[in-house]
Amino acid sequence: MPIARPAASVALEGFELRVLNVPLVAPFTTSFGTETVREVIIVRALTTDGDGWGEIVTQASPLYSSEYTQGAWDVATRFLVPALLGRGTLAPEDVAPILEPFVGHRMAKAGLELAVLDAALRAEGRPLGEYLGAVRDRVPSGVSVGIQRDPAALVESVRGYLDEGYVRIKIKIKPGRDVADTAAVRAEFGATPLQVDANSAYTLADIETLAELDRFDLLLIEQPLQEDDIVDHATLARHLTTPVCLDESIVSLKAATDALALGAASVVNIKAGRVGGYLEAVRIHDLCRDASVPVWCGGMLETGIGRAANAALAALPGFTLPGDVSASSRFYHRDIVTEPAVLEDGHVRVPTGPGLGVEIDPLALDDFTVAREILRR
Ligand code: OSB
Ligand code: MG
């Protein structure tokens, strides 16, 4: 369902942007690299009715997408924030249309939109989940497990998460670390809902290797090919029994529409950052729901800000598969919100307070801040 009731307008006074370096509890390895610290941008919208918070989920290097933190900082401070401040008073639904002339940079746009949305909803006393159309008060929690030293180490890592109660395991794969890793996890945990994520590490030349994964009863294979390989994903999907799910390729409602029309995906990972905001994410949810295509909420190692918003999004009715909406402790010893998301019976609660429904821990925020800029009208 489209947003039922728009949010009230806010009078913008400025934006504060910060780059944070938040240490991870353990290195996170994917087919594109290893991270030990989460470098992320936190946005604070300053309005006459109070502040709102957002998160720009870029990573330090353009390896997952073309966006990266310093690029997002540059485009936000040079173009996006001035365009919003030039408007002054605006509703959250106006943010994307105002920023539309600037090509791409969807993660930067999404973080700014979320900050305005949070400010507007806090001022109205309305929870984000209710605004987006949430139908659940908690969401089943999956975990994304990075590539480990060897398959045995992967099995032990997965065991730890299953002991904590996570209801679905996703393992990262890459060429040379695919069939054996998946086989090891499947052999040890026969009944566990399991999926794999390749982060674009393959080409159609690998089609027979990818078909070997069919025997592991996977929920899906996520983004085996490149971001713009839509037709190749359709070809691959015809060759596999494992459902093909797209992540990187789904950068907009239009991209999702085209991917479904071409048969390139039978499942969609929705990430608000990647698609330019939570409002576009809802539109993709609606499209997939009308097409009976299951969706799930992806993650970008969000801090407590983005994590709260993801829990709200994942509570929409079309999110029929567990998302990468883990407890904060999956990635962080210390978060920047006062009540980080916890795992309860394999679920994460949808916050019920106004806006994001989480409060910032100002000391933690300051401790992790490595750069800060305030732009005023
Ligand atoms: O492909 O889903 C991905 C993290 C960073 C960039 C891309 C991806 C991921 C994850 C982690 O898999 C998901 C999470 O935040 O739990
Ligand atoms: Mg992915």
Side-chain angles (χ1 to χ4, degrees), residues 190-258:
T192 297
L194 178 65
Q195 61 195 52
V196 297
D197 185 1
N199 287 112
S200 305
Y202 296 88
T203 72
L204 272 189
D206 302 304
I207 199 160
E208 293 315 323
T209 302
L210 296 173
E212 283 186 58
L213 299 173
D214 279 344
R215 68 182 138 101
F216 300 120
D217 187 27
L218 301 177
L219 289 168
L220 55 90
I221 178 171
E222 182 179 346
Q223 196 70 38
L225 313 177
Q226 297 289 297
E227 177 174 322
D228 52 5
D229 284 343
I230 303 298
V231 171
D232 284 357
H233 274 110
T235 303
L236 179 65
R238 284 193 295 275
H239 203 81
L240 302 182
T241 58
T242 305
V244 171
C245 170
L246 293 180
D247 172 357
E248 284 88 328
S249 297
I250 307 298
V251 297
S252 62
L253 175 64
K254 181 67 165 67
T257 305
D258 292 355

Side-chain angles (χ1 to χ4, degrees), residues 59 64 144 170 172 197 199 247 271 299-301 331:
Q59 299 181 294
Y64 162 79
S144 174
K170 156 170 143 182
K172 294 289 190 177
D197 185 1
N199 287 112
D247 172 357
K271 288 182 185 170
M300 291 295 292
L301 297 86
F331 290 114

